[in-house]
Amino acid sequence: MELRTPYLATDVIIRLWDGERFLGIVLIERRNPPVGLALPGGFVEVGERVEDAAVREALEETGLKVKLAGLLGVYSDPKRDPRFHVASVVWVADATGRPVAGSDAKKAHLFKLEEIPFNELVFDHAKILLDFLRLKARDF
């Protein structure tokens, strides 16, 4: 019997801070299809903890050392990724500094919450960010 499961990924909502001042969230412009804006993230490697994958992917794609603040949820709609079925564990994290694109990110952008370009987001990241905004008062 062949074992078939979704690919496991992680996405990170990075809240960028300057001291006590909240600056916004970091989105990346994807270099590879599907092109558009996305949360930093990627696939969990075999033998890697999901938490470690989130921190690694955030660093690789934005140059930011993040501190995970909490789990937003797991997003597993089979149609969330046009390439194949992906289940993503979505974290909220905090960072300071200046985002710089790396890995498969073409550019890294900082957006104020009220300026998020929802129509440019790929995968189900618009839904994820709307869920985050609805819960933003929650203490992560």
Side-chain angles (χ1 to χ4, degrees), residues 10-15 17 40 49-59 64-72 89-95 139-140:
T10 186
D11 293 305
V12 187
I13 299 170
I14 301 174
R15 301 182 297 194
W17 298 86
R49 293 172 9 135
V50 175
E51 298 90 326
D52 295 337
V55 171
R56 174 184 53 76
E57 286 287 346
L59 179 63
L64 297 169
K65 293 181 181 180
V66 301
K67 180 178 181 194
L68 298 180
L71 179 66
L72 179 65
V89 179
V90 181
W91 299 92
V92 176
D94 295 304
D139 182 18
F140 282 95

Side-chain angles (χ1 to χ4, degrees), residues 13 15 17 22 25 72 92 112-114 116 128-140:
I13 299 170
R15 301 182 297 194
W17 298 86
F22 175 66
I25 64 165
L72 179 65
V92 176
K112 293 180 180 180
L113 296 180
E114 63 274 11
I116 296 170
I128 291 169
L129 285 172
L130 285 171
D131 288 350
F132 169 72
L133 291 174
R134 286 184 186 105
L135 298 169
K136 73 177 184 168
R138 180 175 149 190
D139 182 18
F140 282 95

Side-chain angles (χ1 to χ4, degrees), residues 92-110:
V92 176
D94 295 304
T96 60
R98 183 176 156 261
V100 177
S103 186
D104 58 347
K106 185 176 177 181
K107 292 182 183 175
H109 302 275
L110 177 64

Side-chain angles (χ1 to χ4, degrees), residues 105-126:
K106 185 176 177 181
K107 292 182 183 175
H109 302 275
L110 177 64
F111 290 99
K112 293 180 180 180
L113 296 180
E114 63 274 11
E115 295 175 356
I116 296 170
F118 286 97
N119 61 328
E120 296 178 36
L121 293 168
V122 296
F123 306 121
D124 58 352
H125 292 185

